[in-house]
Amino acid sequence: MTTAREIMTPDATCVGADDSILDAAKKMTDLGVGALPICGSDQRLKGMLTDRDIVVKVLGAGKDPATCKAGEFAQGEAVTIGADDDTAEILRTMTQHKVRRLPVIDGHTLVGIVAQADVARSLPDPQVGQLLEALSS
C-alpha cells in the first residue's frame, strides 16, 4: 500500500494569509510551482492559492495584486489528505472534490503536497486514466 507520505512533495512552502497576492505570485515563480498552501499566523492550513486564482480572481477581476491578501482566497475548509492515507483514498478525495493538488497533513502539521502527477506516477495506467478523466470533466 503506497501512502501519501511516500509520493508527496515534502516541505511545502506556505504563503501567509496576510501576504499580498503579488508576494504569493513571486514565491510561486521562485519555487516553480502553480499552487501554494495558505497558512495563518498559527501555521495552520487555511486553504490553497493557485496560479489560476491569481489570474481569474485577481487580475481578471481588475484587482490590485499588491493590495489583495492571500487569505481572502482561503474559501471554506481546505481539502486535505492524511500522510498515512493510501492511494485509493487520495484518488477518492481528488475525484470527489475535483482537485489536482492535496495538502498532506500529519496531525495538524502540513508536511507536503500530493499533486495529480505524483499520484499518476504511482498508479497502474487504467487508474491514471480514470483520475484524469474525473478531474477533466
Side-chain angles (χ1 to χ4, degrees), residues 2 7 87 117-124 127-128:
T2 303
I7 64 171
T87 52
D118 299 323
V119 178
R121 281 190 291 271
S122 70
L123 295 175
Q127 286 182 302
V128 172

Side-chain angles (χ1 to χ4, degrees), residues 120 123-136:
L123 295 175
D125 288 343
Q127 286 182 302
V128 172
Q130 291 169 358
L131 174 63
L132 294 174
E133 182 179 342
L135 294 178
S136 298

